Amino acid sequence: MVTLSYLVLTPLALIFLLLSISDAQLSGSFYGSSCPSVLDIVKSNVRSAISRDKRQGAFLARMYFHDCFVQGCDASVLLDDNPPSIDSEKKARPNGSLRGFELIDKIKDSVDNACPGPVVSCSDIIAIAARDSIVELGGPSWTVLLGRRDARTADRNAAENLPSPFADLPELIKNFSDKGFTAREMVALSGAHSIGMARCVLFRDHLYNGTNLDVLVANERKSNCPSNGGDENVASLDQQSPNRFGNNFYQALVQRRGLLHSDQQLFSGGSVDDIVTTYSKDVDTFHTDFANAMIKLGNINFLTGISGEIRKNCRKIN
């Protein structure tokens, strides 16, 4: 006869066990034994993608922000529409131009081939890929804390309320404050706009009706963004070095060259002018503040322990 032995937990012990699991913290070495090659795999894929198309770096950095700023860093932004259970965040207006989903799929496949299970979450892949994108384009590095799990839900309504390119400074400060960020951290995170592009429909009003934009710059930008039509025409957020992460973005704001109304609001005679000036003159301070703010962004409402899941396919729940 085979004798089976069981571990019997009292209700109180079970509660403590569940609490300890659910309160698990992120760690830079989370996959040290279960998938030690994950960082190298993600970096290799990101580097290869950016070498072919520099815009991929901005795509991934933006995806990280749009994921974390909604219901936390949980890869909810990756879920495809599947009514009635999943009302995809991809359908939200601010996410209409979000790109990079195919690259995340490719990275996920590469990681899962090396570490079957699946072991590595889609949310962690986004976080690593965003860091590697910034580094590849000349920005700072930081330790990506890992151990997130993926959401089984999406929140399209919350995604509709991502910070707007038409927002004034008080609204921007409140948007970020509601997520636990200081005004300085908000200005630092805005530095991600040193890379990437924007559609004409998002900056047309700033060009033609803005009061805090250099006239010569506005006229130059209008050539690609007429007063009517051309909504999908794109322009570099940072005209000087669109594919290089640095502090040129802030130098442009000081010179009243910001493409988006919300960006130029950071230097408009308001409470954060001094921060913009500091970053425009001191790239090291900007890099340090940006890296710290990105780590903090990655700590918003993450799922660990028994919450969520590790998706097999980043586009749908298991």
Side-chain angles (χ1 to χ4, degrees):
M1 178 180 293
V2 178
T3 301
L4 298 178
S5 60
Y6 298 91
L7 174 63
V8 178
L9 295 176
T10 66
L12 182 60
L14 180 59
I15 290 174
F16 280 125
L17 175 62
L18 293 177
L19 285 174
S20 66
I21 294 175
S22 62
D23 288 342
Q25 297 299 304
L26 303 182
S27 166
S29 58
F30 184 82
Y31 298 110
S33 58
S34 60
C35 191
S37 60
V38 61
L39 295 178
D40 289 336
I41 293 172
V42 176
K43 179 187 292 185
S44 175
N45 276 272
V46 169
R47 177 170 292 171
S48 177
I50 291 177
S51 70
R52 294 191 302 270
D53 181 358
K54 291 290 193 296
R55 297 176 303 169
Q56 292 290 335
F59 293 162
L60 293 175
R62 184 169 180 240
M63 181 183 293
Y64 177 64
F65 181 85
H66 281 229
D67 183 38
C68 296
F69 219 76
V70 175
Q71 60 180 26
C73 302
D74 59 6
S76 59
V77 73
L78 300 179
L79 290 172
D80 285 340
D81 205 40
N82 186 23
S85 57
I86 302 296
D87 188 13
S88 178
E89 293 171 18
K90 295 177 182 179
K91 297 191 302 181
R93 285 172 299 172
N95 289 338
S97 60
L98 208 58
R99 301 289 184 269
F101 299 110
E102 293 78 11
L103 178 53
I104 293 295
D105 291 338
K106 182 177 184 296
I107 296 173
K108 173 68 169 170
D109 288 343
S110 297
V111 170
D112 285 355
N113 285 336
C115 309
V119 174
V120 180
S121 67
C122 301
S123 47
D124 276 345
I125 288 174
I126 293 175
I128 301 169
R131 188 274 310 273
D132 290 347
S133 294
I134 296 298
V135 171
E136 194 65 24
L137 294 175
S141 184
W142 60 90
T143 298
V144 179
L145 302 178
L146 303 169
R148 301 171 189 80
R149 289 168 64 86
D150 301 322
R152 294 178 55 82
T153 61
D155 193 338
R156 179 184 174 183
N157 288 334
E160 294 284 4
N161 294 315
L162 282 159
S164 167
F166 309 108
D168 291 331
L169 182 59
E171 181 182 348
L172 292 171
I173 291 175
K174 185 179 187 307
N175 287 157
F176 281 81
S177 176
D178 288 347
K179 295 294 183 179
F181 290 95
T182 65
R184 186 181 184 94
E185 290 167 336
M186 180 265 292
V187 176
L189 287 172
S190 298
H193 284 180
S194 66
I195 54 176
M197 316 279 281
R199 293 176 295 150
C200 168
V201 68
L202 300 180
F203 58 82
R204 176 185 288 116
D205 187 64
H206 183 49
L207 291 186
Y208 289 89
N209 301 311
T211 59
N212 192 27
L213 180 65
D214 182 270
V215 174
L216 293 178
V217 172
N219 289 336
E220 180 182 349
R221 294 284 203 169
K222 286 176 182 177
S223 64
N224 192 43
C225 185
S227 57
N228 291 292
D231 285 1
E232 299 304 311
N233 293 353
V234 296
S236 300
L237 289 165
D238 179 2
Q239 200 172 18
Q240 184 174 346
S241 55
N243 296 316
R244 188 72 179 169
F245 187 92
N247 65 341
N248 286 336
F249 168 74
Y250 299 103
Q251 294 170 2
L253 296 184
V254 171
Q255 297 165 5
R256 298 189 300 120
R257 299 170 63 94
L259 182 64
L260 299 178
H261 172 78
S262 58
D263 284 345
Q264 194 57 59
Q265 279 288 292
L266 302 181
F267 193 83
S268 57
S271 59
V272 298
D273 278 16
D274 288 347
I275 303 171
V276 171
T277 300
T278 295
Y279 291 162
S280 73
K281 296 177 179 179
D282 189 342
V283 68
D284 290 335
T285 296
F286 162 53
H287 279 181
T288 298
D289 286 359
F290 179 82
N292 288 333
M294 289 290 272
I295 293 172
K296 185 172 179 176
L297 181 63
N299 286 333
I300 296 179
N301 296 338
F302 56 82
L303 303 175
T304 60
I306 58 175
S307 300
E309 63 182 13
I310 307 297
R311 284 186 217 140
K312 298 175 182 177
N313 180 336
C314 288
R315 295 174 179 261
K316 60 183 182 180
I317 62 175
N318 295 340

